[in-house]
Amino acid sequence: MSFSIHVNDRPFDAEPRPGQCLRTYLRDRGWFGVKKGCDAGDCGACTVHVDGEPVHSCLYPARRAEGRSVTTVEGLAEPGGELHPVQQQFLDAQGFQCGFCTAGFLMTTAKLTEDQLADLPRALKGNLCRCTGYRAIEDAVRGVRHVEAPGPGRSVGRSPGAPAGPQVVTGTARYTFDVEIEGLLHMKLLRSPLAHARIVSLDTSAALRVPGVHAVLTHHDAPERLFSTARHEHPTEDPDDTRVLDDVVRFAGQRVAAVVADSEAAAEEGCRRIVVEYEELPHVLDPEEAMRPGAPVLHAKGPESRIARPENNVAGEVHGETGSVAEGLARADVVYEGTFRTQRVQHASLETHGAVASFEPDGQGAERIVVRSSTQVPFLTRRALCALYDLPPEGVRVVAGRVGGGFGGKQEMLVEDIVVLAVMRLRRPVKLEFTRAEQFFGATTRHPFTIGVTAGATRDGTLTALQLRVVANTGAYGNHGPAVMFHSVGESMAVYRAPHKKVDAYSVYTNCVPAGAFRGYGLGQVTFAVESVMDELARRLDIDPLVFRERNIIGPGEPMVSPGGEEEDLHIASYGLDQCLQVVRDALAEDRSAAEAPAGWLVGQGSAMSMIATGPPGGHFADAAVTLLADGTYDIAVGTAEFGNGTTTVHQQITAGALGTTVDRITVRQSDTDVVGHDTGAFGSAGTVVAGKAVLRAANGLAERLLTFAAEHARTPRSLCRLRADAVECDGRTVPLKELHEAARRADVSLTADGHWGGSPRSVAFNAQWFRVAVDPGTGEIRILRSVHSADAGKVMNPLQCRGQVEGGVAQALGATLFEQVLVDDRGKVVTPAFRRYRLPAYADVPRTEVHFMQTSDAIGPLGAKSMSESPFNPVAPALANALRDATGVRFTELPLLRDAVWLALTEHRAAGAAPGTPSGPRPPREGAR
């Protein structure tokens, strides 16, 4: 049967495979701009044009495209290579962060009619973005330009575009799987249907008879060594409780076996033919039940695994008290006691987890394993692989291309270990790419928390006591569990000045999908509870909640006290919290958005604040090198990964400032263990404040070397030499950088400088969020009338990108606050394994947030900068809950704030005799409280 198709004006006649979709057909032909985000028509990342009409190619049968003309993002440009107007608009507005969704948005936008442009919520409903918060995308669609072209040495504090921007908008940016590898084999995983079971037997014979299957790997093939999938600079932060493949499964979705075959279809068929006999074991899903005597024990392991109390399923715990909480509560005039709950949330990065590994020549006459991975931590992944398989560091190279979103979820080793095991067995290239469903039941989630809070204050608004009991459900494995639990009760308590504080916190194993690192790292969950309680205390004392906070927050130079333990290297190196709260006060004073509420709706406003350390404790290391190249341009080598966090742009800006040049004269090599000595990774908001400081030191070191050598070369006093964009001015003589490089080569002088930073001491960043909301008492619908966010980011290195980080953080937090929820049934199975069952914020769901940056300069961060990737997330949920309380009189203590939950609470409130909007009456004072 003949087949013909034109793709980007090129003819192809290769027959599609039976049932093949157009997305995979195009990618098989090398059109990698067509992305896989869901394979269900939910996200739009695969959008292409068929005869000029946008379609989701993951749903479009390749056979149906016969005789048609298909255009991908690579073919969108005008003849001659000039960018399509829409591509230029996305470049000018920086309408992307990680860029994985961008091709889909471009292809949709390019075909919008005038009527569709007038109704963007409907026009863009088929495309999802997890990074931007959509404001930047809207500006791109509208043709708003934000990118600047600052002059030599003046880029810090300005908004040049991301260096990979042209590649992102043309579809030529290369993500993990955008490679062609000869002889590539495909891996699929057989996963457990049971929440807790022992594998009695595995029969793989039928699987091995499937044509194209090369190997089936089981726990018999895996090393006995225990490790943690979590990646930290210090591996002892996490319990070693995981095997590559185990003979005990502890959650529904845990991998049982891996099949490697010539095609994904053959590997999937092989998985279906494996016969597994299980001995089902009792399971426990609730962490409180898991801690009780008699509960099933998930990890009966010894002290070498560093599990706090394995017999009680406690992975980690922290207990502490400063002062006497009992005394503080006795002194209080008002005491509030409540329990708050937060749910599982999926990271939902549009690029799923995956890796490709192979043996490749090492350049020294031998071979080594090269792993191409969608990871935030290439260096830590290499370290873990070497430890797991007894390989030398030089025997493994890990490369992260451009990463399609992370949000903490890719601070794990979830795929690389099993892929490398297969490569070592078969000595063939092997690929494993998670499906969207696997992201939900085989990756990690945000930790569900239960937070009991007791707090007291006197009539004048002075906080007397703050007590927390925190239970975090870490799921079946303890990756990040103890660390998230510890961090959650740190800055959330330390930001308030109270003489008496107490905490009891537990990270508990259950037979649920494992939790892991997620934006905010536990602070968002506990901040929801603490900030809700502060608002409630203020209202019950009849004090303005802003005034109440201002009376109790720590000030510049004050100690940050958390009963969970002191962090000696943490300092308030710049203070902008007072400015953040003033922004909220100003917004409230001039706000007129209440007039936009529909008739009969309840209207309220609320705010919350948060503090976060600008980097993880215990050291976060980064090496960098800056080099003058032969053509007179510069090269930065730095280990941290780029996944929409904007660090690549910031590193260019820092270097341009130090070397008196422009960002277009600087290239960046990154995310590659061959590039520099070491980098802990892109997590903990460390890309600017840690890797950026290493880059600054390297750039300053090179500037000094260039000026010293130029002075010698030109026989001019060093004091009379100045760096220019492409030369050094030496007392009136212009020495081009090309000439300087050649002279240094002849003199055997290195024009490279190294920089290092260890991540300590650390500063803190502050954020505040304010909402005006309207609530329909008849349906429970919440409508955000206005959103204002104030951020203390120190010296803002790139206002456009930093604003995007804030907007994206607010949007992601709104999803977690209003509707996102990973649901697990009573058998431990995830029942929301697709975007259509798990609602992500779309364009129509996200209000435009007004972002304000405070005027501060940090004494620790590079050039005065502080981190701003995680922190905007944390105050959003309590601010919205506080606004909802103001509107309805009901204190909501559980997330998400689903419409039916709001309606039910309002109905019960009315049934109790309260008028809509009337505050719920205060609880009776605790015994002993005045």
Side-chain angles (χ1 to χ4, degrees), residues 821-886:
Q821 187 172 23
V822 177
L823 296 176
V824 175
D825 67 14
D826 59 3
R827 300 288 295 170
K829 181 181 179 182
V830 172
V831 295
T832 51
F835 284 157
R836 63 187 57 193
R837 299 182 192 175
Y838 178 89
R839 182 180 168 191
L840 283 183
Y843 175 87
D845 297 312
V846 181
R848 181 169 283 219
T849 294
E850 303 162 33
V851 178
H852 301 264
F853 293 118
M854 305 304 97
Q855 298 298 311
T856 62
S857 181
D858 199 70
I860 295 175
L863 305 176
K866 294 198 280 195
S867 61
M868 198 46 58
S869 293
E870 294 184 273
S871 58
F873 189 103
N874 296 328
V876 171
L880 194 62
N882 291 339
L884 191 57
R885 162 69 164 89
D886 189 54

Side-chain angles (χ1 to χ4, degrees), residues 580 766-768 789-794 796 806 851-854 868 872:
C580 288
F766 300 99
N767 295 75
H789 192 100
S790 51
D792 173 21
V796 178
V806 173
V851 178
H852 301 264
F853 293 118
M854 305 304 97
M868 198 46 58

Side-chain angles (χ1 to χ4, degrees), residues 442-628:
T444 61
T445 72
R446 188 188 192 211
H447 285 77
F449 268 60
T450 300
I451 310 109
V453 187
T454 305
T458 56
R459 289 189 181 89
D460 66 353
T462 300
L463 196 62
T464 62
L466 178 60
Q467 178 176 338
L468 299 182
R469 183 182 184 274
V470 173
V471 177
N473 186 342
T474 196
Y477 292 92
N479 46 298
H480 296 284
V484 164
M485 174 269 304
F486 181 85
H487 188 236
S488 74
V489 296
E491 295 96 283
S492 60
M493 298 186 77
V495 71
Y496 282 105
R497 185 193 310 114
H500 308 286
K501 297 179 181 178
K502 184 178 180 180
V503 65
D504 293 287
Y506 309 86
S507 180
V508 184
Y509 289 116
T510 64
N511 294 111
C512 298
V513 58
F518 189 101
R519 200 173 200 163
Y521 212 66
L523 272 184
Q525 294 95 311
V526 176
T527 297
F528 166 61
V530 171
E531 287 297 292
S532 296
V533 168
M534 294 304 155
D535 188 83
E536 196 63 35
L537 283 175
R539 293 179 186 279
R540 294 183 179 196
L541 289 166
D542 198 24
I543 297 174
D544 182 331
L546 286 174
V547 172
F548 181 81
R549 287 184 174 87
E550 288 169 336
R551 289 180 184 173
N552 292 289
I553 56 175
I554 58 173
E558 291 189 42
M560 290 174 282
V561 178
S562 171
E566 296 294 325
E567 298 185 55
E568 295 181 356
D569 71 335
L570 194 61
H571 307 279
I572 301 177
S574 60
Y575 188 83
L577 184 52
D578 52 349
Q579 296 179 49
C580 288
L581 295 179
Q582 186 60 45
V583 167
V584 172
R585 179 173 280 108
D586 293 344
L588 182 57
E590 53 83 29
D591 182 61
R592 301 292 181 270
S593 63
E596 301 172 15
W601 288 40
L602 309 175
V603 178
Q605 61 81 29
S607 60
M609 60 172 212
S610 63
M611 176 177 78
I612 190 171
T614 59
H620 191 111
F621 305 114
D623 291 325
V626 181
T627 303
L628 176 66

Side-chain angles (χ1 to χ4, degrees), residues 185 207-208 210-216 259-263 425-426 428:
L185 300 178
L208 288 168
V210 173
V213 168
H214 290 258
V216 179
V259 178
V260 186
D262 290 329
S263 67
R425 165 71 69 87
L426 298 169
R428 290 272 302 274

Side-chain angles (χ1 to χ4, degrees), residues 700-759:
N700 284 336
L702 180 58
E704 182 62 31
R705 288 191 181 190
L706 287 172
L707 291 170
T708 299
F709 184 74
E712 296 172 357
H713 177 69
R715 294 182 171 81
T716 305
R718 163 70 175 72
S719 60
L720 298 179
C721 296
R722 298 287 183 273
L723 285 166
R724 298 292 182 251
D726 58 356
V728 181
E729 293 288 340
C730 296
D731 192 22
R733 178 186 169 187
T734 300
V735 181
L737 292 177
K738 291 181 181 180
E739 177 185 327
L740 204 62
H741 183 278
E742 177 60 23
R745 186 191 65 79
R746 291 195 302 267
D748 198 25
V749 172
S750 171
L751 294 182
T752 295
D754 298 322
H756 173 81
W757 180 243

Side-chain angles (χ1 to χ4, degrees), residues 295-489:
V297 175
L298 270 68
H299 294 279
K301 295 177 171 66
E304 68 279 1
S305 286
R306 300 182 304 281
I307 300 171
R309 285 188 285 129
E311 69 278 8
N312 298 115
N313 293 313
V314 176
E317 59 188 327
V318 61
H319 306 278
E321 185 171 15
T322 59
S324 169
V325 164
E327 179 183 330
L329 294 175
R331 288 183 48 234
D333 295 304
V334 173
V335 172
Y336 179 86
E337 184 173 10
T339 300
F340 295 78
R341 292 180 174 85
T342 64
Q343 79 283 29
R344 286 180 187 83
V345 178
Q346 233 295 316
H347 305 81
S349 53
L350 287 193
E351 181 192 40
T352 61
H353 282 82
V356 180
S358 60
F359 276 99
E360 297 181 13
D362 65 359
Q364 307 296 321
E367 285 189 319
R368 61 175 172 173
I369 298 173
V370 177
V371 182
R372 183 179 176 88
S373 171
S374 181
T375 178
Q376 298 173 224
V377 284
F379 287 82
L380 300 188
T381 298
R382 179 182 67 172
R383 177 191 291 172
L385 290 171
C386 290
L388 189 59
Y389 295 115
D390 296 316
L391 299 169
E394 63 274 14
V396 180
R397 177 188 180 190
V398 178
V399 181
R402 190 169 179 89
V403 178
F407 317 111
K410 294 175 180 174
Q411 192 192 338
E412 305 271 357
M413 187 172 70
L414 298 179
V415 291
E416 298 89 346
D417 57 328
I418 189 75
V419 171
V420 167
L421 179 63
V423 168
M424 293 173 67
R425 165 71 69 87
L426 298 169
R427 301 194 70 83
R428 290 272 302 274
V430 176
K431 167 189 172 182
L432 171 60
E433 181 179 14
F434 276 12
T435 64
R436 179 54 55 188
E438 285 180 297
Q439 286 294 115
F440 282 97
F441 55 68
T444 61
T445 72
R446 188 188 192 211
H447 285 77
F449 268 60
T450 300
I451 310 109
V453 187
T454 305
T458 56
R459 289 189 181 89
D460 66 353
T462 300
L463 196 62
T464 62
L466 178 60
Q467 178 176 338
L468 299 182
R469 183 182 184 274
V470 173
V471 177
N473 186 342
T474 196
Y477 292 92
N479 46 298
H480 296 284
V484 164
M485 174 269 304
F486 181 85
H487 188 236
S488 74
V489 296

